[in-house]
Amino acid sequence: MKTIIVTGTPGTGKTTIAKKLANRLKYHYLDVNKIINKYKLSEGYDRKRKTKIVDIKKLNKLLIKKIKTLKKSNITKNRIKKYKGIVIDSHLSHYLPKKYVDFCIVTKCNIKELNKRLKKRKYSKNKIEENIQAEIFNVCLEEAKKKKHKIIEIDTTKSFNMSKISKLIK
């Protein structure tokens, strides 16, 4: 059972890619924002950035437990697998240790398009600027490289070939 993480700057298409990939490959989709809310992993709120503060170590511990649980419970007595893998959707997913991850998909987007997407979400000017800078400096990509993940970069500016992406993972 494979574990795929999908990371990238907010607004670059992580959720779109993650959901389509999970559906196409018959993988379990895991939304980390829901996990953070369900297990109350937020340790406060950054008013300036208008975002929750999350302890990455606690989040990783929980995600690793989820991965292990899904892998164990996935095989029934008949050896029939319900899911062939798991897709984890979050701009924090690349912090997971390499040994739990088969592929790390990093979504990228043209700066003008990203600006449009973030404005559509009604992000503040400061938050838009911070996310655009993160995209310009490839923050998620560089952090994923530091963790030595097997990386697949996807530009979501216009369209992307889901079939091609799926084949890279199989």
Side-chain angles (χ1 to χ4, degrees):
M1 186 165 139
K2 290 184 181 176
T3 300
I4 312 301
I5 56 176
V6 182
T7 189
T9 305
T12 57
K14 289 179 303 299
T15 300
T16 301
I17 294 285
K19 285 182 175 179
K20 286 184 177 188
L21 191 62
N23 188 41
R24 183 180 196 101
L25 297 174
K26 308 236 185 308
Y27 281 22
H28 178 73
Y29 170 79
L30 192 62
D31 181 342
V32 173
N33 287 326
K34 287 183 180 175
I35 297 288
I36 290 167
N37 291 332
K38 182 177 179 180
Y39 294 95
K40 297 174 177 48
L41 295 176
S42 174
E43 297 191 336
Y45 189 78
D46 183 333
R47 291 177 193 254
K48 184 181 174 189
R49 295 167 131 179
K50 295 182 181 173
T51 190
K52 292 177 183 175
I53 300 166
V54 178
D55 182 323
I56 299 298
K57 285 182 182 177
K58 285 182 183 177
L59 176 62
N60 279 350
K61 190 175 179 179
L62 187 75
L63 289 175
I64 290 165
K65 187 177 176 181
K66 287 265 181 211
I67 291 166
K68 286 179 177 179
T69 301
L70 275 167
K71 285 184 178 186
K72 278 183 188 175
S73 68
N74 200 32
I75 301 174
T76 65
K77 290 177 185 174
N78 298 332
R79 299 270 183 214
I80 298 169
K81 293 184 178 184
K82 184 176 179 183
Y83 295 111
K84 295 178 183 178
I86 181 171
V87 176
I88 300 173
D89 173 12
S90 173
H91 72 282
L92 303 172
S93 64
H94 60 271
Y95 290 113
L96 273 166
K98 178 187 172 190
K99 73 179 189 176
Y100 297 102
V101 177
D102 294 289
F103 290 98
C104 174
I105 295 176
V106 179
T107 55
K108 305 282 299 149
C109 183
N110 170 285
I111 300 306
K112 285 183 182 178
E113 178 61 27
L114 180 59
N115 188 41
K116 279 189 227 173
R117 292 177 187 180
L118 297 177
K119 281 182 178 177
K120 191 175 178 181
R121 292 182 179 189
K122 298 187 186 329
Y123 277 23
S124 69
K125 282 186 179 184
N126 287 343
K127 194 163 182 161
I128 291 171
E129 188 176 311
E130 182 180 6
N131 284 302
I132 286 175
Q133 286 178 7
E135 185 67 4
I136 289 168
F137 292 109
N138 290 315
V139 172
C140 291
L141 176 62
E142 292 304 317
E143 288 174 348
K145 284 179 180 178
K146 260 187 196 172
K147 289 284 188 179
K148 299 188 181 348
H149 286 298
K150 188 184 272 186
I151 298 168
I152 299 170
E153 286 182 66
I154 300 172
D155 186 342
T156 65
T157 304
K158 293 185 180 169
S159 63
F160 47 88
N161 186 331
M162 213 59 218
S163 179
K164 188 177 176 181
I165 297 164
S166 300
K167 285 178 187 171
L168 290 171
I169 290 167
K170 285 185 176 179

